[in-house]
Amino acid sequence: MPGMRILSAVSLAAVGVPCVAALPSQRPPEEENTQCLLYQGTGCQAITDKATCLTSRDGRVMDYIEGHDTRSQPCVWCGGEPCEPTGDNLCESYSWLVGNPAVQPPASWISANCLDGRDVDESLARAKSRPAPTATPLGAFEPVDGGTGRACRGSSPEGVGRQWSYSIWSAKSLEECMAYCDETCGGVEYKHADHYCEIWHESITGSASEPGFA
């Protein structure tokens, strides 16, 4: 699919718009397949139900928080109790909760995983709760360099996104991906094969050739 500034591997730029149950697992995420997990752009800590937590991975804009991996980390369900004694989050990213010596994991926790053999399509079908789309009008987007087969690029020295450039969601379609684009969004990038959706929070200044993107 194409690349659009505020539009999707359709890379699109904003025009007039600023821009279920998983098998129990306590193994580190690198020891199991996590490719079926759905990206949650607001982060694991924003999830409040077990079914969503155990089908998700963190998609927040930051790669690290206080030196601990954040983006793409599997979510951890804390047994229905706060994950930390001083907080009220019921779900957290793996490396923050389990790989952090400053945090004492709860007695009961399960890491999201794909041990039942499902793929991302089945996870999307099972997903219990997803944020309501904002329904950004399609007219608010325009393709970048033709859109199809183009991946978004921003203003970082490497030409790719910086740590704060975009959050990641899993979306069933380019249209659903674009619906996650709110008033802070400068554009979207989407790859249908993986249901991979980037919501850009900085200006998209160009694109690069990437088959399958829109």
Side-chain angles (χ1 to χ4, degrees):
M1 298 183 71
M4 304 180 168
R5 272 180 296 250
I6 218 182
L7 249 184
S8 136
V10 165
S11 296
L12 312 178
V15 177
V17 175
C19 255
V20 243
L23 299 177
S25 173
Q26 292 190 335
R27 292 185 290 171
E30 61 268 23
E31 294 182 9
E32 59 200 41
N33 179 9
T34 58
Q35 295 306 303
C36 76
L37 300 181
L38 306 179
Y39 282 105
Q40 293 284 335
T42 50
C44 299
Q45 83 294 337
I47 299 171
T48 58
D49 69 277
K50 180 178 180 179
T52 303
C53 185
L54 293 183
T55 55
S56 300
R57 50 180 155 176
D58 209 300
R60 279 178 284 182
V61 293
M62 63 284 289
D63 295 322
Y64 306 95
I65 295 180
E66 297 182 14
H68 299 279
D69 290 337
T70 301
R71 183 173 284 174
S72 298
Q73 284 287 299
C75 295
V76 171
W77 179 249
C78 299
E81 300 294 330
C83 293
E84 298 182 66
T86 57
D88 55 9
N89 296 339
L90 303 179
C91 182
E92 280 284 4
S93 63
Y94 183 93
S95 68
W96 174 258
L97 185 67
V98 181
N100 187 348
V103 175
Q104 178 62 48
S108 175
W109 61 270
I110 303 174
S111 175
N113 63 78
C114 304
L115 295 178
D116 59 1
R118 72 186 185 281
D119 59 18
V120 69
D121 290 283
E122 188 170 354
S123 291
L124 280 167
R126 292 183 185 184
K128 177 180 177 182
S129 60
R130 303 285 285 171
T134 56
T136 303
L138 295 185
F141 297 89
E142 66 175 3
V144 175
D145 301 328
T148 303
R150 310 296 300 183
C152 298
R153 292 294 181 262
S155 58
S156 65
E158 296 81 10
V160 190
R162 298 175 300 178
Q163 175 170 315
W164 299 94
S165 294
Y166 56 85
S167 55
I168 307 173
W169 292 91
S170 293
K172 296 178 182 178
S173 65
L174 171 59
E175 289 71 27
E176 181 175 298
C177 179
M178 290 188 288
Y180 289 118
C181 191
D182 61 17
E183 66 276 359
T184 70
C185 173
V188 307
E189 176 181 294
Y190 182 70
K191 187 176 183 181
H192 180 73
D194 304 322
H195 300 291
Y196 177 86
C197 168
E198 289 181 2
I199 301 299
W200 279 62
H201 302 288
E202 71 166 46
S203 297
I204 295 172
T205 59
S207 69
S209 177
E210 290 286 352
F213 279 85

Coordinates of all heavy atoms in Angstrom, one line a residue, residues 23-108:
L23 N -2.3 -18.4 26.9 CA -1.8 -19.4 27.8 C -0.9 -18.7 28.8 O -0.2 -17.8 28.5 CB -1.0 -20.4 27.0 CG -1.8 -21.2 25.9 CD1 -0.8 -22.1 25.2 CD2 -2.9 -22.0 26.6
P24 N -1.0 -19.1 30.1 CA -0.1 -18.5 31.1 C 1.3 -18.5 30.7 O 1.8 -19.5 30.3 CB -0.4 -19.4 32.3 CG -1.8 -19.9 32.1 CD -1.8 -20.2 30.6
S25 N 2.0 -17.5 31.0 CA 3.4 -17.4 30.7 C 4.1 -16.4 31.5 O 3.7 -15.3 31.7 CB 3.7 -17.1 29.2 OG 5.1 -16.8 29.0
Q26 N 5.2 -16.8 32.2 CA 6.1 -15.9 32.9 C 7.5 -15.9 32.3 O 8.4 -15.4 33.0 CB 6.1 -16.2 34.4 CG 4.7 -16.0 35.1 CD 4.8 -16.1 36.6 OE1 5.7 -16.7 37.1 NE2 3.9 -15.4 37.2
R27 N 7.6 -16.3 31.1 CA 8.9 -16.4 30.4 C 9.2 -15.0 29.8 O 8.3 -14.3 29.4 CB 9.0 -17.5 29.4 CG 8.9 -18.9 29.9 CD 9.1 -19.9 28.9 NE 7.9 -19.9 28.0 CZ 7.9 -20.6 26.8 NH1 8.9 -21.3 26.4 NH2 6.8 -20.7 26.1
P28 N 10.5 -14.7 29.7 CA 10.9 -13.4 29.1 C 10.4 -13.4 27.6 O 10.3 -14.4 27.0 CB 12.4 -13.4 29.1 CG 12.7 -14.3 30.3 CD 11.7 -15.4 30.3
P29 N 10.0 -12.2 27.1 CA 9.4 -12.1 25.8 C 10.3 -12.6 24.7 O 9.8 -13.1 23.6 CB 9.1 -10.7 25.6 CG 10.0 -10.0 26.6 CD 10.1 -10.9 27.8
E30 N 11.6 -12.6 24.8 CA 12.5 -13.0 23.7 C 12.5 -14.5 23.6 O 13.0 -15.1 22.6 CB 13.9 -12.5 24.0 CG 14.6 -13.1 25.3 CD 14.4 -12.1 26.4 OE1 13.4 -11.3 26.4 OE2 15.2 -12.1 27.4
E31 N 11.9 -15.2 24.5 CA 11.8 -16.7 24.4 C 10.6 -17.2 23.8 O 10.3 -18.4 23.7 CB 12.0 -17.3 25.9 CG 13.4 -17.0 26.5 CD 13.5 -17.7 27.8 OE1 12.6 -18.5 28.2 OE2 14.5 -17.4 28.5
E32 N 9.7 -16.4 23.4 CA 8.5 -16.8 22.7 C 8.0 -15.9 21.6 O 8.4 -14.7 21.6 CB 7.4 -17.0 23.8 CG 7.1 -15.7 24.5 CD 6.4 -15.9 25.8 OE1 6.7 -16.8 26.6 OE2 5.5 -15.1 26.1
N33 N 7.2 -16.4 20.8 CA 6.7 -15.6 19.7 C 5.7 -14.5 20.1 O 4.7 -14.9 20.8 CB 6.0 -16.5 18.7 CG 5.5 -15.8 17.5 OD1 5.7 -14.6 17.3 ND2 4.7 -16.6 16.6
T34 N 5.9 -13.3 19.8 CA 5.0 -12.2 20.2 C 4.4 -11.5 18.9 O 3.8 -10.5 19.1 CB 5.7 -11.2 21.0 OG1 6.9 -10.6 20.3 CG2 6.3 -11.8 22.3
Q35 N 4.6 -12.1 17.8 CA 4.1 -11.5 16.5 C 2.6 -11.4 16.4 O 2.1 -10.6 15.6 CB 4.7 -12.2 15.3 CG 6.2 -12.1 15.2 CD 6.7 -10.7 15.3 OE1 6.3 -9.9 14.5 NE2 7.6 -10.4 16.2
C36 N 1.9 -12.1 17.2 CA 0.4 -12.0 17.1 C -0.2 -10.9 18.0 O -1.3 -10.6 17.9 CB -0.2 -13.4 17.5 SG -0.2 -13.6 19.3
L37 N 0.7 -10.3 18.8 CA 0.2 -9.3 19.8 C -0.2 -8.0 19.1 O 0.5 -7.6 18.1 CB 1.2 -9.1 20.8 CG 1.6 -10.3 21.7 CD1 2.6 -9.9 22.8 CD2 0.4 -11.0 22.3
L38 N -1.2 -7.3 19.5 CA -1.7 -6.1 18.9 C -1.0 -4.9 19.6 O -0.9 -4.8 20.8 CB -3.2 -6.0 19.1 CG -4.0 -7.2 18.7 CD1 -5.5 -6.9 19.0 CD2 -3.8 -7.4 17.2
Y39 N -0.5 -4.0 18.8 CA 0.1 -2.7 19.3 C -1.0 -1.9 19.9 O -2.1 -1.7 19.3 CB 0.8 -2.0 18.2 CG 2.1 -2.5 17.8 CD1 2.3 -3.2 16.6 CD2 3.2 -2.3 18.6 CE1 3.5 -3.7 16.3 CE2 4.5 -2.7 18.3 CZ 4.6 -3.5 17.1 OH 5.9 -3.9 16.7
Q40 N -0.8 -1.3 21.1 CA -1.7 -0.4 21.8 C -0.9 0.9 21.9 O 0.0 1.1 22.6 CB -2.0 -0.9 23.2 CG -2.9 -2.1 23.2 CD -4.3 -1.9 22.8 OE1 -4.8 -0.8 23.0 NE2 -5.0 -2.9 22.3
G41 N -1.3 1.9 21.0 CA -0.6 3.2 21.0 C -0.6 4.0 22.2 O 0.3 4.8 22.4
T42 N -1.5 3.7 23.1 CA -1.6 4.5 24.4 C -0.8 3.7 25.5 O -0.7 4.2 26.6 CB -3.0 4.7 24.8 OG1 -3.7 3.5 24.8 CG2 -3.7 5.7 23.9
G43 N -0.3 2.6 25.2 CA 0.5 1.8 26.1 C -0.2 0.8 26.9 O -1.4 0.9 27.1
C44 N 0.5 -0.2 27.4 CA -0.1 -1.3 28.3 C -0.8 -0.7 29.5 O -1.8 -1.2 29.9 CB 1.0 -2.3 28.7 SG 1.9 -3.1 27.3
Q45 N -0.2 0.3 30.1 CA -0.7 0.9 31.3 C -2.1 1.4 31.2 O -2.8 1.6 32.2 CB 0.3 1.9 31.9 CG 0.1 3.3 31.4 CD 0.5 3.5 29.9 OE1 1.2 2.6 29.4 NE2 0.0 4.5 29.3
A46 N -2.5 1.7 30.0 CA -3.9 2.3 29.7 C -4.9 1.2 29.7 O -6.1 1.5 29.6 CB -3.9 3.1 28.5
I47 N -4.5 -0.1 29.6 CA -5.5 -1.2 29.5 C -6.0 -1.6 30.9 O -5.3 -1.7 31.8 CB -4.8 -2.4 28.8 CG1 -4.3 -2.0 27.4 CG2 -5.7 -3.6 28.7 CD1 -3.4 -3.0 26.8
T48 N -7.3 -1.8 30.9 CA -7.9 -2.1 32.2 C -8.6 -3.5 32.2 O -9.1 -3.9 33.3 CB -9.0 -1.1 32.6 OG1 -10.0 -1.0 31.5 CG2 -8.4 0.3 32.7
D49 N -8.6 -4.3 31.1 CA -9.2 -5.6 31.2 C -8.2 -6.7 30.8 O -7.3 -6.4 30.0 CB -10.5 -5.7 30.3 CG -10.1 -5.6 28.8 OD1 -9.9 -4.4 28.3 OD2 -10.0 -6.6 28.2
K50 N -8.4 -7.9 31.3 CA -7.4 -9.0 31.1 C -7.3 -9.4 29.6 O -6.2 -9.6 29.1 CB -7.9 -10.2 32.0 CG -7.0 -11.4 31.8 CD -7.4 -12.5 32.8 CE -6.5 -13.7 32.7 NZ -7.0 -14.8 33.6
A51 N -8.5 -9.5 29.0 CA -8.5 -10.0 27.6 C -7.6 -9.1 26.7 O -6.9 -9.6 25.8 CB -9.9 -10.2 27.1
T52 N -7.8 -7.8 26.8 CA -7.1 -6.9 26.0 C -5.6 -6.9 26.3 O -4.7 -6.9 25.5 CB -7.6 -5.5 26.1 OG1 -9.0 -5.5 25.7 CG2 -6.9 -4.5 25.2
C53 N -5.3 -6.9 27.6 CA -3.9 -6.9 28.1 C -3.1 -8.1 27.5 O -2.0 -8.0 27.1 CB -3.9 -6.9 29.6 SG -2.2 -6.8 30.3
L54 N -3.8 -9.3 27.5 CA -3.1 -10.5 27.1 C -3.1 -10.7 25.6 O -2.6 -11.8 25.2 CB -3.7 -11.7 27.9 CG -3.4 -11.7 29.4 CD1 -4.0 -12.9 30.0 CD2 -1.9 -11.6 29.7
T55 N -3.6 -9.8 24.9 CA -3.4 -9.8 23.4 C -2.6 -8.6 22.9 O -2.6 -8.4 21.7 CB -4.8 -9.9 22.7 OG1 -5.6 -8.7 23.1 CG2 -5.5 -11.2 23.0
S56 N -1.9 -7.9 23.8 CA -1.4 -6.6 23.4 C 0.1 -6.5 23.7 O 0.7 -7.2 24.5 CB -2.1 -5.5 24.1 OG -3.5 -5.5 23.8
R57 N 0.7 -5.5 23.0 CA 2.1 -5.1 23.3 C 2.1 -3.6 23.2 O 1.2 -2.9 22.6 CB 3.1 -5.7 22.3 CG 2.7 -5.5 20.8 CD 3.8 -6.2 19.9 NE 3.3 -6.6 18.6 CZ 4.1 -7.1 17.7 NH1 5.4 -7.2 17.9 NH2 3.6 -7.5 16.5
D58 N 3.1 -3.0 23.8 CA 3.2 -1.5 24.0 C 3.5 -0.8 22.7 O 4.5 -1.2 22.0 CB 4.2 -1.2 25.1 CG 3.9 0.1 25.8 OD1 3.8 1.1 25.1 OD2 3.7 0.1 27.0
G59 N 2.8 0.2 22.4 CA 3.0 0.9 21.1 C 3.2 2.4 21.4 O 3.1 3.2 20.4
R60 N 3.6 2.8 22.6 CA 3.8 4.2 22.9 C 4.9 4.8 22.1 O 5.8 4.2 21.5 CB 4.1 4.4 24.4 CG 2.8 4.3 25.3 CD 3.2 4.5 26.7 NE 3.7 3.2 27.3 CZ 4.0 3.1 28.6 NH1 3.9 4.1 29.4 NH2 4.5 1.9 29.0
V61 N 4.9 6.2 22.1 CA 5.9 6.9 21.3 C 7.3 6.8 21.7 O 8.3 7.0 21.0 CB 5.5 8.4 21.2 CG1 4.2 8.6 20.5 CG2 5.4 9.0 22.6
M62 N 7.5 6.5 23.0 CA 8.9 6.4 23.5 C 9.4 4.9 23.4 O 8.7 4.0 23.6 CB 9.0 6.9 24.9 CG 8.2 6.1 26.0 SD 6.5 6.4 25.9 CE 6.4 8.1 26.6
D63 N 10.7 4.8 23.0 CA 11.4 3.5 23.0 C 11.8 3.0 24.4 O 11.8 1.8 24.6 CB 12.6 3.6 22.1 CG 12.3 3.9 20.6 OD1 11.3 3.4 20.2 OD2 13.0 4.6 20.0
Y64 N 12.1 4.0 25.2 CA 12.5 3.6 26.6 C 11.9 4.5 27.6 O 11.6 5.7 27.3 CB 14.0 3.8 26.7 CG 14.8 3.0 25.7 CD1 15.3 3.6 24.5 CD2 15.1 1.7 25.9 CE1 16.0 3.0 23.6 CE2 15.9 1.0 24.9 CZ 16.3 1.6 23.8 OH 17.0 0.9 22.8
I65 N 11.7 4.0 28.8 CA 11.3 4.8 30.0 C 12.2 4.5 31.1 O 12.4 3.4 31.5 CB 9.8 4.5 30.4 CG1 8.8 4.9 29.4 CG2 9.5 5.2 31.7 CD1 7.4 4.6 29.7
E66 N 13.0 5.5 31.5 CA 14.0 5.4 32.6 C 14.9 4.2 32.3 O 15.3 3.4 33.2 CB 13.3 5.2 33.9 CG 12.4 6.4 34.3 CD 11.8 6.3 35.7 OE1 12.2 5.3 36.4 OE2 10.9 7.1 36.0
G67 N 15.3 4.1 31.0 CA 16.3 3.1 30.6 C 15.7 1.7 30.4 O 16.5 0.8 30.1
H68 N 14.4 1.5 30.5 CA 13.8 0.2 30.2 C 13.0 0.2 28.9 O 12.3 1.2 28.6 CB 12.9 -0.1 31.4 CG 13.6 -0.2 32.7 ND1 14.3 -1.4 33.1 CD2 13.8 0.7 33.7 CE1 14.9 -1.1 34.3 NE2 14.6 0.1 34.7
D69 N 13.2 -0.8 28.1 CA 12.5 -1.0 26.9 C 11.0 -0.7 27.1 O 10.4 -1.2 28.0 CB 12.7 -2.3 26.2 CG 14.1 -2.6 25.8 OD1 14.8 -1.6 25.5 OD2 14.5 -3.7 25.7
T70 N 10.4 0.0 26.1 CA 8.9 0.2 26.2 C 8.3 -0.3 24.9 O 7.5 -1.2 24.9 CB 8.6 1.7 26.3 OG1 9.2 2.2 27.5 CG2 7.1 1.9 26.4
R71 N 8.6 0.3 23.8 CA 8.0 0.0 22.5 C 8.1 -1.5 22.1 O 9.2 -2.1 22.2 CB 8.5 0.8 21.4 CG 7.8 0.6 20.1 CD 8.3 1.6 19.0 NE 7.7 2.9 19.3 CZ 8.0 4.0 18.6 NH1 9.0 4.0 17.7 NH2 7.4 5.2 18.8
S72 N 7.0 -2.1 21.8 CA 6.9 -3.5 21.4 C 7.0 -4.5 22.5 O 6.9 -5.7 22.3 CB 8.0 -3.9 20.3 OG 7.8 -3.1 19.1
Q73 N 7.1 -4.1 23.7 CA 7.2 -5.0 24.9 C 5.8 -5.6 25.1 O 4.8 -4.9 25.0 CB 7.6 -4.2 26.1 CG 9.1 -3.9 26.2 CD 9.9 -5.2 26.5 OE1 9.7 -5.8 27.5 NE2 10.8 -5.5 25.6
P74 N 5.7 -6.9 25.3 CA 4.4 -7.6 25.6 C 3.8 -7.0 26.9 O 4.6 -6.5 27.8 CB 4.8 -9.0 25.9 CG 6.2 -9.2 25.2 CD 6.8 -7.9 25.4
C75 N 2.5 -6.9 26.9 CA 1.9 -6.4 28.1 C 1.8 -7.5 29.2 O 1.8 -8.7 28.9 CB 0.4 -5.9 27.8 SG 0.4 -4.5 26.7
V76 N 1.7 -7.1 30.4 CA 1.7 -8.1 31.6 C 0.4 -7.8 32.4 O 0.2 -6.6 32.8 CB 2.9 -8.0 32.5 CG1 2.7 -8.8 33.7 CG2 4.2 -8.4 31.7
W77 N -0.4 -8.8 32.6 CA -1.6 -8.7 33.4 C -1.2 -9.1 34.9 O -0.6 -10.1 35.1 CB -2.7 -9.6 32.9 CG -4.0 -9.6 33.7 CD1 -4.5 -10.5 34.5 CD2 -4.9 -8.5 33.8 NE1 -5.7 -10.1 35.1 CE2 -5.9 -8.8 34.7 CE3 -4.9 -7.2 33.2 CZ2 -7.0 -8.0 35.0 CZ3 -6.0 -6.3 33.5 CH2 -7.0 -6.8 34.4
C78 N -1.6 -8.3 35.8 CA -1.2 -8.4 37.2 C -2.3 -9.1 38.1 O -2.4 -8.7 39.3 CB -0.8 -7.1 37.8 SG 0.6 -6.3 36.9
G79 N -3.0 -10.0 37.5 CA -4.0 -10.7 38.3 C -5.2 -9.9 38.8 O -5.9 -10.4 39.7
G80 N -5.5 -8.8 38.1 CA -6.6 -8.0 38.5 C -6.3 -7.0 39.7 O -7.2 -6.3 40.1
E81 N -5.0 -7.0 40.1 CA -4.6 -6.1 41.2 C -3.6 -5.1 40.6 O -3.1 -5.3 39.6 CB -3.9 -6.9 42.3 CG -4.8 -8.0 42.9 CD -6.0 -7.4 43.7 OE1 -5.9 -6.2 44.2 OE2 -7.1 -8.0 43.8
P82 N -3.4 -4.0 41.3 CA -2.4 -3.0 40.8 C -1.1 -3.7 40.6 O -0.6 -4.5 41.5 CB -2.4 -1.9 41.9 CG -3.8 -2.0 42.5 CD -4.1 -3.5 42.5
C83 N -0.4 -3.3 39.6 CA 0.9 -3.9 39.3 C 2.0 -3.4 40.2 O 3.0 -4.1 40.4 CB 1.3 -3.6 37.8 SG 0.2 -4.4 36.6
E84 N 1.8 -2.3 40.8 CA 2.8 -1.7 41.8 C 2.0 -1.3 43.0 O 0.9 -0.7 42.9 CB 3.5 -0.6 41.2 CG 4.4 -0.9 39.9 CD 5.2 0.3 39.4 OE1 6.1 0.7 40.2 OE2 4.9 0.8 38.3
P85 N 2.6 -1.4 44.2 CA 1.9 -1.0 45.4 C 1.5 0.5 45.4 O 0.5 0.9 46.1 CB 3.0 -1.3 46.5 CG 3.8 -2.4 45.9 CD 3.9 -2.0 44.4
T86 N 2.3 1.3 44.7 CA 2.0 2.7 44.7 C 1.2 3.2 43.6 O 1.0 4.4 43.4 CB 3.4 3.5 44.8 OG1 4.1 3.2 43.6 CG2 4.2 3.2 46.0
G87 N 0.7 2.3 42.7 CA 0.0 2.7 41.5 C -1.3 2.0 41.5 O -1.7 1.2 42.3
D88 N -2.1 2.3 40.3 CA -3.3 1.6 40.2 C -3.5 0.9 38.8 O -4.5 0.5 38.4 CB -4.5 2.5 40.4 CG -4.4 3.8 39.5 OD1 -3.6 3.9 38.6 OD2 -5.2 4.7 39.7
N89 N -2.3 0.8 38.0 CA -2.4 0.2 36.7 C -2.5 -1.3 36.9 O -1.8 -1.9 37.6 CB -1.1 0.5 35.9 CG -0.9 2.0 35.6 OD1 -1.9 2.7 35.6 ND2 0.3 2.4 35.3
L90 N -3.5 -1.9 36.1 CA -3.7 -3.3 36.2 C -2.9 -4.1 35.1 O -2.8 -5.3 35.2 CB -5.2 -3.6 36.0 CG -6.2 -2.9 36.9 CD1 -7.6 -3.3 36.6 CD2 -5.8 -3.3 38.4
C91 N -2.3 -3.3 34.2 CA -1.5 -3.9 33.1 C -0.3 -3.0 32.9 O -0.4 -1.8 32.9 CB -2.4 -4.0 31.8 SG -1.7 -4.7 30.4
E92 N 0.8 -3.6 32.6 CA 2.1 -2.9 32.4 C 2.9 -3.5 31.3 O 2.7 -4.7 31.0 CB 2.9 -2.8 33.7 CG 2.4 -1.7 34.7 CD 2.8 -0.3 34.3 OE1 3.4 -0.1 33.2 OE2 2.5 0.6 35.1
S93 N 3.9 -2.8 30.8 CA 4.8 -3.4 29.8 C 5.8 -4.3 30.6 O 6.2 -4.1 31.7 CB 5.5 -2.4 29.0 OG 6.3 -1.6 29.8
Y94 N 6.2 -5.4 29.9 CA 7.0 -6.4 30.5 C 8.3 -5.9 31.2 O 8.6 -6.2 32.3 CB 7.4 -7.5 29.5 CG 8.2 -8.7 30.1 CD1 7.5 -9.8 30.5 CD2 9.5 -8.6 30.1 CE1 8.2 -10.9 31.1 CE2 10.3 -9.7 30.7 CZ 9.6 -10.8 31.2 OH 10.3 -11.8 31.7
S95 N 9.1 -5.1 30.4 CA 10.4 -4.7 30.9 C 10.3 -3.7 32.0 O 11.2 -3.6 32.9 CB 11.3 -4.2 29.8 OG 10.8 -2.9 29.3
W96 N 9.2 -3.0 32.1 CA 9.0 -2.0 33.2 C 8.7 -2.8 34.5 O 9.2 -2.5 35.5 CB 7.9 -1.0 32.9 CG 7.6 -0.1 34.1 CD1 6.5 -0.2 35.0 CD2 8.4 0.9 34.5 NE1 6.6 0.7 35.9 CE2 7.8 1.5 35.7 CE3 9.6 1.5 34.1 CZ2 8.3 2.5 36.4 CZ3 10.1 2.6 34.8 CH2 9.4 3.1 35.9
L97 N 7.8 -3.8 34.4 CA 7.4 -4.5 35.5 C 8.3 -5.6 36.0 O 8.7 -5.7 37.1 CB 6.0 -5.1 35.3 CG 5.3 -5.7 36.5 CD1 5.0 -4.7 37.6 CD2 4.1 -6.5 36.1
V98 N 8.7 -6.5 35.0 CA 9.5 -7.7 35.3 C 11.0 -7.5 35.2 O 11.8 -8.0 35.9 CB 9.0 -8.8 34.4 CG1 9.8 -10.1 34.7 CG2 7.5 -9.0 34.5
G99 N 11.4 -6.6 34.2 CA 12.8 -6.4 34.0 C 13.4 -5.2 34.8 O 14.5 -4.8 34.5
N100 N 12.6 -4.7 35.7 CA 13.0 -3.5 36.4 C 13.4 -3.8 37.8 O 12.5 -4.1 38.6 CB 11.9 -2.4 36.3 CG 12.3 -1.1 36.9 OD1 13.3 -0.9 37.5 ND2 11.5 -0.1 36.6
P101 N 14.7 -3.7 38.2 CA 15.0 -4.0 39.6 C 14.4 -3.1 40.6 O 14.4 -3.4 41.8 CB 16.6 -3.9 39.6 CG 16.9 -3.0 38.4 CD 15.8 -3.3 37.4
A102 N 13.9 -1.9 40.2 CA 13.3 -0.9 41.1 C 11.9 -1.3 41.4 O 11.2 -0.6 42.2 CB 13.4 0.5 40.5
V103 N 11.3 -2.2 40.7 CA 9.9 -2.6 40.8 C 9.7 -4.0 41.3 O 10.4 -4.9 40.7 CB 9.1 -2.4 39.5 CG1 7.7 -2.9 39.6 CG2 9.1 -0.9 39.1
Q104 N 8.9 -4.3 42.3 CA 8.7 -5.6 42.7 C 7.4 -6.2 42.0 O 6.3 -5.7 42.2 CB 8.4 -5.6 44.2 CG 8.1 -7.0 44.8 CD 9.2 -8.0 44.7 OE1 10.4 -7.7 45.0 NE2 8.9 -9.2 44.2
P105 N 7.6 -7.2 41.1 CA 6.4 -7.7 40.4 C 5.4 -8.3 41.4 O 5.8 -8.8 42.5 CB 7.0 -8.8 39.5 CG 8.5 -8.5 39.4 CD 8.8 -7.8 40.8
P106 N 4.1 -8.3 41.1 CA 3.1 -8.9 42.0 C 3.3 -10.4 42.0 O 4.0 -11.0 41.2 CB 1.8 -8.5 41.3 CG 2.2 -8.3 39.9 CD 3.6 -7.7 39.9
A107 N 2.7 -11.0 43.0 CA 2.8 -12.5 43.1 C 2.2 -13.2 41.9 O 2.7 -14.2 41.5 CB 2.2 -12.9 44.4
S108 N 1.2 -12.6 41.4 CA 0.5 -13.3 40.3 C 0.5 -12.4 39.0 O 0.0 -11.3 39.1 CB -1.0 -13.5 40.7 OG -1.7 -14.0 39.6

